């Protein structure tokens, strides 16, 4: 039987804060044959979730393969706020979907949604297809692959696009810098390059009472609110103290 305490000691020495929990999860995940390799990789800084092959998100197990952005708990704010606003049989779109965690959580929470997701990264698209078996997952730039029949039909459009300012990438934890792709993190000079593109395209896709929800940081939220207003939307910023999540929600203006 694997010595969980000894593995925890190795992980703790390597800097893991939750060494006992991680050791237990690695022992559960590994066949005897590759446990040593998993422990070595974890001690060397590979994200736990890439080794386990899953991450818990909004009560679901989301499949994550090495090389994909690991969904963060703070993104559950987008899911909760989107679910509150979605009508029955909602048309849901997740742009920059990564592993498709938000779309999968909305699929689980909503009644009979029609779900679409897009990402530019092929590993992300492969994971999203695993996590959204009943959804439509496309590879491509932002909204380009969405079918035109969705124009003005989307009830909730969610996006956790890359939003780290380029100059701050070096300040990120090594786990993110070394194991998550730059395209998942780099949001350009002020971090809002992709998020601004999302608000700019949103009016083309949103239904008359639709809403776009974009994760951002508290510092960036005012600039994103301004961009959404410029795009003709009615924006508001929300924050979750528990997870540190921040999002800008913007609805189409009702006439
Ligand atoms: C911060 S990660 C978030 C992934 C996922 N939304 C989540 O919360 O787990 C940003 C994602 O945006 C994707 N991405 C970046 N630029 C993109 C673009 N122009 N078009 C589509 N996807 C893009 C990346 O590949 C990455 O999967």
């Amino acid at each position: 039987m694997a010595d969980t305490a000894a593995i925890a000691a190795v992980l703790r020495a390597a800097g893991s804060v939750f060494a006992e929990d991680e050791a237990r999860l690695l022992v559960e995940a590994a066949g005897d044959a590759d446990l040593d390799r998993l422990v070595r990789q974890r001690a060397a800084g590979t994200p736990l979730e890439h080794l386990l092959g899953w991450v818990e998100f909004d009560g679901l197990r989301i499949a994550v393969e090495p090389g994909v952005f690991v969904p963060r708990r703070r993104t559950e704010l987008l899911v909760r706020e989107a679910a509150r606003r979605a009508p029955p049989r909602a048309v849901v779109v997740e742009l920059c979907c990564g592993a498709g965690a938000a779309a999968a959580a909305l699929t689980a929470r909503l009644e009979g949604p029609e779900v679409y997701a897009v990402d530019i990264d092929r590993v992300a698209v492969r994971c999203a297809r695993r996590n959204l078996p009943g959804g439509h997952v496309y590879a491509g730039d932002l909204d380009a692959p969405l079918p035109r029949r969705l124009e003005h039909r989307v009830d909730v459009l969610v996006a956790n696009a890359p939003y780290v300012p380029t100059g701050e990438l070096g300040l990120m934890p090594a786990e993110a810098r070394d194991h998550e792709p730059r395209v998942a993190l780099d949001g350009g000079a002020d971090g809002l390059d992709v998020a601004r593109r999302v608000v700019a395209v949103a009016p083309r896709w949103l239904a008359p009472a639709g809403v776009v929800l974009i994760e951002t940081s508290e510092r960036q939220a005012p600039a994103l609110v301004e961009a959404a207003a410029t795009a003709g939307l009615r924006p508001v910023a929300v924050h979750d103290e528990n997870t540190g999540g921040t999002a800008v929600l913007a609805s189409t203006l009702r006439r």
Side-chain angles (χ1 to χ4, degrees):
M1 204 169 70
D3 184 349
T4 310
I7 293 170
V10 172
L11 299 181
R12 199 175 311 106
S16 168
V17 182
F18 302 106
E20 279 76 17
D21 291 342
E22 294 198 0
R24 186 177 43 76
L25 287 166
L26 287 176
V27 169
E28 280 169 18
D32 288 343
D34 61 5
L35 181 58
D36 284 351
R37 178 180 59 81
L38 293 184
V39 174
R40 274 199 311 277
Q41 287 182 295
R42 180 66 193 127
T46 301
L48 177 71
E49 297 82 358
H50 285 163
L51 297 173
L52 299 177
W54 56 270
V55 60
E56 190 184 323
F57 181 84
D58 202 41
L60 302 176
R61 276 194 179 192
I62 300 296
V64 286
E65 298 177 16
V68 77
F69 180 89
V70 178
R72 312 292 206 262
R73 293 291 306 274
R74 59 178 176 262
T75 305
E76 292 172 359
L77 174 64
L78 281 188
V79 173
R80 284 197 305 275
E81 295 292 335
R84 284 178 49 206
R85 289 163 174 81
R89 292 181 302 285
V91 176
V92 173
V93 169
E94 181 173 15
L95 296 181
C96 299
C97 68
L106 286 167
T107 302
R109 280 181 178 239
L110 300 179
E111 184 195 318
E114 208 181 305
V115 177
Y116 301 82
V118 184
D119 201 282
I120 203 165
D121 179 79
R122 71 183 167 80
V123 183
V125 169
R126 194 166 64 225
C127 290
R129 288 192 172 131
R130 289 176 62 191
N131 291 314
L132 296 167
H136 308 266
V137 180
Y138 304 103
D141 182 29
L142 211 65
D143 61 334
L146 291 176
R148 290 196 60 179
R149 64 185 160 75
L150 292 184
E151 283 181 5
H152 305 298
R153 279 197 56 222
V154 176
D155 298 299
V156 289
L157 193 167
V158 297
N160 175 21
Y163 61 87
V164 181
T166 306
E168 294 176 20
L169 288 172
L171 306 177
M172 297 199 70
E175 274 191 34
R177 270 188 285 120
D178 297 344
H179 295 276
E180 294 178 325
R182 183 169 177 138
V183 70
L185 306 173
D186 189 350
D190 70 351
L192 289 173
D193 283 5
V194 188
R196 280 198 191 88
R197 289 182 61 205
V198 174
V199 291
V201 302
R204 173 180 172 197
W205 300 105
L206 289 180
V211 60
V212 55
L213 306 95
I214 305 173
E215 180 168 318
T216 189
S217 69
E218 274 190 284
R219 178 167 51 119
Q220 293 163 327
L224 191 55
V225 162
E226 194 181 321
T230 302
L233 299 167
R234 196 171 46 185
V236 61
V238 295
H239 183 70
D240 178 353
E241 287 298 335
N242 291 328
T243 61
T246 299
V248 169
L249 283 51
S251 51
T252 43
L253 296 171
R254 284 178 215 241
R255 276 181 265 276

